[in-house]
Amino acid sequence: MKNKKSISFYILISFLFCLIYILCAIHPLGTEYHFKPEWKIDVTNPSVSSDVPEDVARLPFKLGQTLGYFTPDGKVTNFVTFPLKASVSSSFYTCYSTNNTEAKYYTPDGELAGTVSIPGFPMIDDDRIFVFLPGGSSFIACDGEGKKNWEYGGTVPITAFDSSKEGVVIGFADGNICEFNRSGHLLQRFAPGGSDLPVILGAAVSSNGEYIATVSGQNKQRFVLAKKDGAQTKITAHQFLDSTETTQKLVKFSADDSTVYFSSQNDLGIADVKSGKIAHLKIDGHAISMQETSNTVFILTKKDSEYRVYAVEKFAVLTGSFSFKAQYAFILTHDERLYVGKDSTISCISISKK
């Protein structure tokens, strides 16, 4: 009788344990990202569509010695070949040579928008036009008509450059950083320091012009996040990096200025602007481009002839990656879609979370 009671007791305990385990294990299935290929086009010698409505987005591309624009559904609206160099954005494009005395720039539909009559090397960043002057230590910011708005003239080589709607940041070989507003007024000048060789390898300015981020130096390299605090520059976050590469580094703020992404050797750094918290993700190669949708950041890396695209969920969660071999490549995002350019093709991938 005693044995029967003991057996019943253990059966009851086992039943309760199983019941508790099942109840604890029951939880909603987590959502995950789904990447669905939608279309792929060849841009070796594409048919150009001239009947696309004006309100349809024109997305820019540049692959090798070709550039142009395509629509979100895969129609090429403009296609240009160029012999030497070119700069393209969602607003304008221009082609130029190494001994350029002037540069014409065009709208996405190929209409002449203006002429920059300044000898140098033009660069188009969104709707902003700059010309880097021979010697590599000076540049001119142009207005919407291609005329000189303001000029920076210096003697130290410029090694990093970025612009936003509120200003411009430039980094120099001597380790100094300068920030200018849209009118060319110097807002701040400082040196991140902390290294034996202080050269600026990468720099970015937030869209509101409040923050500057840099990667600089050799022995050791250092990431710095800084903001203007009255008449001084205040460093709000910094970190030394295990990197010895002397190549230029990707440094870029997210669209909402909440996060800054920066590249070092086989590593992607991610810094929260408000808290100063810094996280790292291991990557293969060096980061060359960053694009984002509403919830995902895409990083394009290159190592020899292999490119890899990493998908990172904010703040610093790696959700997937894929690789391919190519001579040229780019990534672009628009309306929750990822576009991947590879040599002579462009592919569209839709992104959803289910």
Side-chain angles (χ1 to χ4, degrees):
M1 191 71 175
K2 189 175 181 179
N3 289 336
K4 288 183 178 181
K5 287 183 178 181
S6 298
I7 292 172
S8 300
F9 173 77
Y10 286 119
I11 291 175
L12 178 62
I13 292 297
S14 299
F15 174 76
L16 291 174
F17 175 80
C18 292
L19 180 62
I20 292 171
Y21 177 82
I22 291 171
L23 290 175
C24 290
I26 294 175
H27 58 84
L29 291 175
T31 58
E32 55 185 26
Y33 284 97
H34 294 262
F35 302 94
K36 179 183 177 183
E38 288 197 350
W39 52 257
K40 181 178 181 180
I41 57 174
D42 192 312
V43 291
T44 304
N45 190 20
S47 299
V48 176
S49 300
S50 57
D51 57 348
V52 177
E54 291 184 3
D55 60 347
V56 175
R58 270 71 166 168
L59 307 178
F61 74 87
K62 179 183 173 186
L63 288 168
Q65 300 304 124
T66 63
L67 65 82
Y69 294 83
F70 63 96
T71 63
D73 61 356
K75 294 179 181 178
V76 176
T77 60
N78 193 3
F79 180 76
V80 177
T81 60
F82 57 93
L84 292 173
K85 296 181 180 295
S87 182
V88 60
S89 76
S90 58
S91 299
F92 304 114
Y93 71 89
T94 184
C95 306
Y96 60 96
S97 63
T98 53
N99 55 353
N100 211 55
T101 57
E102 69 172 24
K104 299 182 184 299
Y105 61 99
Y106 302 85
T107 67
D109 289 329
E111 297 181 1
L112 180 66
T115 301
V116 179
S117 300
I118 302 169
F121 310 101
M123 187 197 79
I124 298 175
D125 185 8
D126 197 9
D127 61 349
R128 300 175 292 275
I129 302 171
F130 303 94
V131 178
F132 288 87
L133 304 181
S137 58
S138 305
F139 71 92
I140 291 173
C142 299
D143 61 18
E145 298 179 351
K147 298 178 181 178
K148 183 171 79 170
N149 187 13
W150 56 274
E151 179 178 356
Y152 169 81
T155 58
V156 180
I158 296 172
T159 55
F161 180 92
D162 187 41
S163 75
S164 72
K165 60 184 180 182
E166 293 299 330
V168 171
V169 61
I170 51 178
F172 299 94
D174 64 359
N176 280 301
I177 287 284
C178 289
E179 182 188 9
F180 301 87
N181 65 12
R182 290 179 296 177
S183 301
H185 176 70
L186 179 65
L187 297 178
Q188 58 179 320
R189 182 185 182 97
F190 72 99
S195 306
D196 290 346
L197 299 175
V199 58
I200 306 298
L201 299 172
V205 59
S206 60
S207 62
N208 58 14
E210 184 178 0
Y211 285 90
I212 290 175
T214 67
V215 172
S216 63
Q218 286 290 302
N219 193 25
K220 288 185 169 182
Q221 285 182 13
R222 188 188 188 200
F223 166 75
V224 166
L225 178 65
K227 64 180 294 186
K228 186 173 175 58
D229 185 16
Q232 305 295 322
T233 297
K234 179 181 179 181
I235 294 178
T236 59
H238 77 96
Q239 189 175 78
F240 287 102
L241 308 174
D242 293 328
S243 177
T244 58
E245 290 181 329
T246 58
T247 56
Q248 288 188 315
K249 305 298 182 184
L250 173 74
V251 184
K252 190 170 182 179
F253 283 88
S254 60
D256 61 2
D257 291 335
S258 65
T259 312
V260 59
Y261 298 83
F262 59 95
S263 173
S264 61
Q265 193 168 358
N266 295 318
D267 181 271
L268 177 70
I270 306 169
D272 183 90
V273 172
K274 286 187 177 181
S275 68
K277 176 184 176 183
I278 300 174
H280 292 269
L281 293 175
K282 182 176 174 56
I283 58 175
D284 194 18
H286 62 278
I288 58 175
S289 178
M290 186 272 274
Q291 294 285 311
E292 60 185 309
T293 59
S294 58
N295 294 305
T296 306
V297 170
F298 295 94
I299 304 293
L300 178 65
T301 68
K302 187 176 188 297
K303 182 178 181 180
D304 299 326
S305 62
E306 181 173 277
Y307 290 86
R308 183 174 291 273
V309 178
Y310 291 89
V312 181
E313 191 174 10
K314 300 174 181 179
F315 167 69
V317 179
L318 180 63
T319 58
S321 70
F322 61 89
S323 64
F324 55 89
K325 290 187 179 296
Q327 189 174 2
Y328 314 104
F330 75 86
I331 58 172
L332 186 68
T333 54
H334 179 77
D335 287 347
E336 304 306 314
R337 287 177 171 82
L338 171 67
Y339 301 91
V340 180
K342 172 188 172 184
D343 289 340
S344 60
T345 63
I346 301 173
S347 302
C348 173
I349 302 171
S350 64
I351 307 159
S352 60
K353 192 173 184 181
K354 299 178 181 179

